[in-house]
């Protein structure tokens, strides 16, 4: 019987593990694919305090993971398929099924994060891995001296467009409105980069090619004019979708399936907490994912003290 099982090992899951480890709770972290979560698809984090000039994302994740290891909190790579709640004399106990195993726990912290949304245009599915990508760090090196387009106007699209200029000969950022959503400081860097071409008020209608991406058709939403643009890569950063399928029948979610919590990270279910990008909130940053994780661990600790 664990005191707490943490689902996910992005910044939120790792920091929850760090705090639970320091409370000396019997803790297990379950991770589906890779430690670090979706943020490792971004090459650097520029706004994490303490690292002037930014820090490579992998380095920050390694540092946090080392702190978790020092506390001997185990991380097991197994995908959670279901969670069963059992009432034992008024106190809930949860059985977490992951892979071929089932683990019992008194409390849960859901830190399952989010993944990139699909754009939903013709050709997108067909060319995933053949020119269409959702990860600049993973796929950027394949586009050395090639022309690419980046779709989206948020922080990720702008940061990744800048990063991709270290490989591509030319990067065209396509955004559906006349104004970017990204923070001004990142936008300034984008506008100062001579290898980036900005196409505002424009959407992609189709990604075309034979066996791999050869171009996109771009529609100007103000004039309705459509042009064909030749390129070898299409990087899509149009927001995130939470990884909450496995709790959708268990917890209250909002209309976009983000988990609803109170300020102490408590969900609609007793002894279940959520933090990070799977949670409904206004700001999706590593810094507040870490803070929420500390709050979730503190709530778990308080709940367990009250059981005694
Ligand atoms: P985002 O901030 O939600 O921006 C999504 C962008 O995609 C918006 O510009 C949106 O356009 C556009 N878009 C959405 N659907 C579209 C569609 N169907 N067709 C064309 N464009 C579409 O998402 P994000 O940039 O992927 O970032 C995800 C989250 O991670 C954000 O909250 C971001 O702040 C955060 N982030 C954090 C860090 C960090 O912690 N250091 C770094 C990077 C990102 P509109 O503007 O018109 O809505």
């Amino acid at each position: 019987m664990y005191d707490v099982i943490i689902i996910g090992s992005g910044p939120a899951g790792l920091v929850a593990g760090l705090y639970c480890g320091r409370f000396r709770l019997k803790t297990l972290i379950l991770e589906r694919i890779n430690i670090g979560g979706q943020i490792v698809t971004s090459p650097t984090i520029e706004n994490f305090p303490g690292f002037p000039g930014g820090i490579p994302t992998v380095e920050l994740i390694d540092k946090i993971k080392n702190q978790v290891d020092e506390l001997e909190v185990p991380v097991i790579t197994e995908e959670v398929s279901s969670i069963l709640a059992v009432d034992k004399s008024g106190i809930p106990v949860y059985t977490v099924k992951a892979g071929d195993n089932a683990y019992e726990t008194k409390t849960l912290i859901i830190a399952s994060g989010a993944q990139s949304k699909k754009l939903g245009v013709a050709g997108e599915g067909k060319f995933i891995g053949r020119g269409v990508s959702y990860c600049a760090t993973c796929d950027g090196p394949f586009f050395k001296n090639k022309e690419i387009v980046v779709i989206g106007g948020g922080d990720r699209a702008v940061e990744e467009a800048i990063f991709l200029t270290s490989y591509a000969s030319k990067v065209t950022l396509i955004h559906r409105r006349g104004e970017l959503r990204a923070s001004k400081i990142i936008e300034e860097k984008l506008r100062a980069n001579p290898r980036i071409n900005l196409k505002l008020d424009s959407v992609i209608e189709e990604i075309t090619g034979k066996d791999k991406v050869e171009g996109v058709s771009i529609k100007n939403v103000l004039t309705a004019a459509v042009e064909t643009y030749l390129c070898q890569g299409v990087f899509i950063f149009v927001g995130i979708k939470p990884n909450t399928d496995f709790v959708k029948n268990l917890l209250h979610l909002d209309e976009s399936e983000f988990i609803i919590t109170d300020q102490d990270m408590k969900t609609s279910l007793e002894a279940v907490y959520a933090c990070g990008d799977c949670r409904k909130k206004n700001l999706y940053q590593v810094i507040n994912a870490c803070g929420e994780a500390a709050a979730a661990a503190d709530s778990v600790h308080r709940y367990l003290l009250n059981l005694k």
Side-chain angles (χ1 to χ4, degrees):
M1 173 73 76
Y2 285 94
D3 288 324
V4 57
I5 289 182
I6 298 160
I7 300 174
S9 74
L14 290 177
V15 171
L18 172 62
Y19 274 71
C20 289
R22 290 175 63 84
F23 285 130
R24 297 289 188 224
L25 302 179
K26 189 176 175 200
T27 305
L28 171 66
I29 301 178
L30 291 170
E31 167 54 47
R32 179 169 64 155
I33 314 172
N34 62 314
I35 289 170
Q38 63 163 347
I39 193 67
V40 294
T41 64
S42 287
T44 45
I45 302 181
E46 288 193 7
N47 57 1
F48 200 84
F51 300 100
I55 178 167
T57 307
V58 172
E59 196 182 319
L60 179 66
I61 294 297
D62 278 352
K63 283 179 190 287
I64 305 174
K65 174 66 168 55
N66 288 343
Q67 283 178 287
V68 174
D69 289 343
E70 279 171 7
L71 293 158
E72 297 180 359
V73 171
V75 183
I76 296 180
T77 306
E78 273 173 350
E79 180 161 5
V80 173
S81 51
S82 66
I83 297 169
L84 186 73
V86 181
D87 191 314
K88 291 200 174 162
S89 325
I91 297 168
V93 168
Y94 295 96
T95 303
V96 179
K97 288 208 167 148
D100 295 331
N101 295 309
Y103 304 95
E104 283 207 318
T105 181
K106 295 175 195 165
T107 70
L108 276 163
I109 296 179
I110 315 290
S112 49
Q115 54 185 289
S116 297
K117 265 194 207 162
K118 302 279 183 295
L119 186 58
V121 295
E124 181 179 10
K126 178 178 169 190
F127 294 117
I128 290 176
R130 288 186 284 162
V132 169
S133 172
Y134 305 87
C135 176
T137 315
C138 329
D139 298 328
F142 299 120
F143 293 88
K144 213 163 183 347
N145 300 323
K146 306 240 160 87
E147 284 207 21
I148 60 173
V149 298
V150 172
I151 321 294
D155 284 343
R156 276 199 76 203
V158 174
E159 280 182 357
E160 311 300 26
I162 296 167
F163 171 74
L164 286 164
T165 58
S166 48
Y167 302 105
S169 54
K170 187 173 166 196
V171 175
T172 300
L173 183 89
I174 301 172
H175 178 44
R176 64 182 176 183
R177 288 186 298 128
E179 232 177 68
L180 295 173
R181 179 179 290 278
S183 340
K184 289 293 171 226
I185 188 161
I186 315 176
E187 179 175 345
E188 284 163 16
K189 283 191 188 167
L190 178 97
R191 288 187 184 273
N193 190 318
R195 287 164 79 182
I196 299 179
N197 175 27
L198 189 54
K199 253 187 200 302
L200 297 174
D201 295 311
S202 299
V203 293
I204 291 280
E205 289 209 309
E206 191 181 358
I207 302 169
T208 54
K210 203 163 164 249
D211 299 321
K212 51 188 181 175
V213 170
E214 290 170 21
V216 289
S217 54
I218 306 172
K219 181 179 172 182
N220 182 305
V221 294
L222 303 179
T223 63
V226 177
E227 65 169 306
T228 300
Y229 185 84
L230 299 182
C231 61
Q232 291 80 49
V234 180
F235 283 77
I236 299 171
F237 304 108
V238 291
I240 55 172
K241 173 186 174 304
N243 299 319
T244 51
D245 261 9
F246 66 102
V247 290
K248 72 177 175 205
N249 297 322
L250 206 63
L251 304 178
H252 287 170
L253 308 180
D254 77 347
E255 62 288 354
S256 304
E257 302 191 337
F258 287 91
I259 300 170
I260 296 169
T261 74
D262 69 8
Q263 63 176 7
D264 297 322
M265 309 303 136
K266 189 176 183 329
T267 70
S268 53
L269 207 56
E270 177 85 351
V272 180
Y273 305 84
C275 53
D277 284 5
C278 63
R279 181 178 165 254
K280 179 184 171 62
K281 55 185 176 175
N282 286 329
L283 183 68
Y284 290 83
Q285 298 276 300
V286 173
I287 181 78
N288 62 326
C290 295
E292 291 161 28
D298 180 60
S299 294
V300 162
H301 186 225
R302 287 170 192 274
Y303 169 84
L304 292 171
L305 286 177
N306 276 336
L307 282 187
K308 286 183 182 160

